[in-house]
Amino acid sequence: MNFGKLYRPTLFNSWQFIAFVGLIMSGGAELIMRLIGYPRPVGYGWLYLCWAALFVGGALVNLFGKPKPHGHHHHH
């Protein structure tokens, strides 16, 4: 089992990468809101939980999913 799929962005699948970027962007937005004194929207913390759940789901698929056969690509 390649545990690098849990912490190396180059090995993330699409779901993990979307969640990773979402966490970074949400954290950045919260930091900006704090710096300018804008109140944190109600329920904003749930956003982090959603990103984390998406990452965990993607990680499970990445770790335990069967690799898809590459198949044959015919270029005409």
Side-chain angles (χ1 to χ4, degrees), residues 30-38:
E30 185 167 354
L31 181 63
I32 290 169
M33 286 188 287
R34 287 175 187 249
L35 288 173
I36 64 173
Y38 189 83

Side-chain angles (χ1 to χ4, degrees), residues 10-73:
T10 56
L11 299 177
F12 288 173
N13 63 16
S14 298
W15 299 109
Q16 287 174 287
F17 194 77
I18 290 167
F20 179 70
V21 171
L23 279 168
I24 291 171
M25 297 299 284
S26 297
E30 185 167 354
L31 181 63
I32 290 169
M33 286 188 287
R34 287 175 187 249
L35 288 173
I36 64 173
Y38 189 83
R40 184 177 179 191
V42 175
Y44 195 83
W46 289 104
L47 188 57
Y48 295 112
L49 182 64
C50 291
W51 291 132
L54 185 64
F55 185 87
V56 169
L60 290 173
V61 169
N62 200 1
L63 285 173
F64 300 111
K66 295 180 181 177
K68 294 179 181 178
H70 294 299
H72 298 285
H73 297 280

